[in-house]
Amino acid sequence: MKWNEYAKVGDALIKAFRRAVGRKVTECDFAFEILDRLKMEDGYKLVALKAKQAYRLHAVPADMVDILWKIDPDAVDECDKYYYRDHLIVERSAMGAWQETVLGEVVFALPSRGWAVYDDLKFIFSTAALSSLKGKGQFDYRVFLGDPRIVPSVEMNGDEVVIRRCYWNDWQGLVLCTDYGRFERDFGMVYGRREEETIFEYDCGEVVSDFDNSRLSVRRVRNENGSTSVQAVIKRERGGCYYVFVGSSSDEDELSELEDEAMELIDGYDEHMRDLTRQSDVD
């Protein structure tokens, strides 16, 4: 299978970000050495901020970078005026559309913790990335080496763009993701609908027990290596769940301790939500 220029750009960008991040604030000028069809609006810098659970990209005035160390990253994350795509200038081309897309998704390939681990993605931009999935259940990467869906592609018709790429998630498997977008603004694309096709189904664990109070729960999941993981689960009002990995063990006493930790985490979350509700009522 021949990897194309889109794959090479995506692979290089992810590797560059993984080398660069680690601190609370990372200036991302290096990204534009790879993303040659993108640039920031004059006077703005692209930065990656390390929040409590994951990294986030922001565009901030250049003279603000030095004080970001003193600001809560989650507070910056909630401020719309620092949304990086509002200050990102994108060439109207297939490669420009691809580079904007892969920049927006690179944070899902960076280290995370807590609930964010369930959004972790391994993008398939190289044979090495594909072969690294060896050992994931019955997955045989060699079967997909000749599959044209695995190679990223971009189709452009006028201002309409269709972007396809594959990623791996431990709770979904190998997924073909297709985005439909359109260039209709000065600073890049407006994304429309997204379609996802699971090429190979996979779940990293089997639920073997589940304490459930209808909204908050603790569950045990049997792993492929024979150990058991403990997860805290919070069900969302709009459907779906948030999960957090607490720990894993093969010892029953240790698993019981992990379940206690999960309950403490859930109790803390529940109290936090009650505080927010009380504050909302006051406002």
Side-chain angles (χ1 to χ4, degrees):
M1 177 169 52
K2 184 177 180 180
W3 296 98
N4 57 24
E5 292 303 313
Y6 302 125
K8 293 175 183 177
V9 167
D11 192 48
L13 187 70
I14 289 173
K15 288 178 179 177
F17 264 90
R18 286 177 173 167
R19 287 193 298 266
V21 299
R23 297 166 296 172
K24 179 178 179 180
V25 181
T26 301
E27 294 185 48
C28 301
D29 294 343
F30 64 88
F32 299 103
E33 297 176 10
I34 301 167
L35 306 176
D36 57 354
R37 311 301 171 89
L38 311 182
K39 64 178 181 179
M40 296 304 297
E41 180 184 2
D42 287 346
Y44 282 84
K45 285 266 194 178
L46 181 70
V47 296
L49 298 187
K50 187 178 183 181
K52 292 179 180 178
Q53 296 186 354
Y55 288 92
R56 295 289 182 263
L57 296 179
H58 300 281
V60 299
D63 58 3
M64 182 181 171
V65 173
D66 290 339
I67 66 170
L68 284 176
W69 302 92
K70 305 175 183 178
I71 301 175
D72 180 358
D74 291 309
V76 178
D77 203 31
E78 295 172 2
C79 187
D80 291 340
K81 69 179 180 180
Y82 299 130
Y83 182 45
Y84 79 95
R85 290 186 66 232
D86 288 340
H87 305 281
L88 182 68
I89 300 173
V90 183
E91 177 186 280
R92 292 194 175 210
S93 66
M95 181 57 79
W98 171 254
Q99 291 185 5
E100 179 181 7
T101 299
V102 75
L103 176 63
E105 295 184 333
V106 71
V107 293
F108 298 114
L110 300 179
S112 60
R113 58 182 298 179
W115 312 115
V117 300
Y118 287 83
D119 290 329
D120 284 354
L121 306 179
K122 176 186 284 291
F123 291 96
I124 309 303
F125 295 146
S126 67
T127 302
L130 192 61
S131 63
S132 71
L133 302 176
K134 182 179 180 181
K136 299 283 189 179
Q138 300 300 312
F139 183 80
D140 184 351
Y141 78 95
R142 295 168 296 183
V143 173
F144 297 95
L145 285 175
D147 192 327
R149 295 174 297 177
I150 300 299
V151 180
S153 67
V154 181
E155 299 173 12
M156 191 167 180
N157 183 12
D159 287 335
E160 303 286 343
V161 185
V162 181
I163 302 165
R164 295 184 177 89
R165 68 278 188 206
C166 283
Y167 67 79
W168 177 276
N169 175 274
D170 279 344
W171 288 268
Q172 292 175 275
L174 184 62
V175 178
L176 172 63
C177 181
T178 304
D179 277 330
Y180 296 83
R182 179 181 177 83
F183 280 106
E184 57 180 39
R185 64 192 190 111
D186 293 336
F187 289 94
M189 289 194 304
V190 173
Y191 290 88
R193 76 181 190 277
R194 167 173 290 190
E195 297 175 354
E196 293 190 343
E197 174 191 354
T198 301
I199 300 175
F200 180 88
E201 292 186 4
Y202 178 83
D203 192 306
C204 65
E206 172 192 358
V207 178
V208 292
S209 69
D210 194 353
F211 161 76
D212 189 349
N213 70 356
S214 77
R215 192 172 70 83
L216 307 174
S217 63
V218 174
R219 70 178 187 175
R220 292 188 180 189
V221 176
R222 182 177 293 116
N223 303 317
E224 288 189 337
N225 64 4
S227 67
T228 299
S229 295
V230 173
Q231 300 173 346
V233 184
I234 297 174
K235 297 179 180 178
R236 298 182 294 188
E237 292 182 1
R238 297 182 180 180
C241 297
Y242 291 119
Y243 302 85
V244 62
F245 170 79
V246 180
S248 63
S249 177
S250 299
D251 181 82
E252 183 61 35
D253 291 338
E254 291 181 0
L255 287 171
S256 296
E257 292 178 3
L258 290 172
E259 287 177 329
D260 290 340
E261 290 182 29
M263 287 303 302
E264 290 178 6
L265 185 152
I266 283 175
D267 289 343
Y269 176 87
D270 208 24
E271 180 62 30
H272 173 65
M273 295 305 295
R274 286 196 294 269
D275 287 343
L276 290 180
T277 300
R278 287 193 290 266
Q279 184 62 43
S280 177
D281 292 340
V282 171
D283 295 342

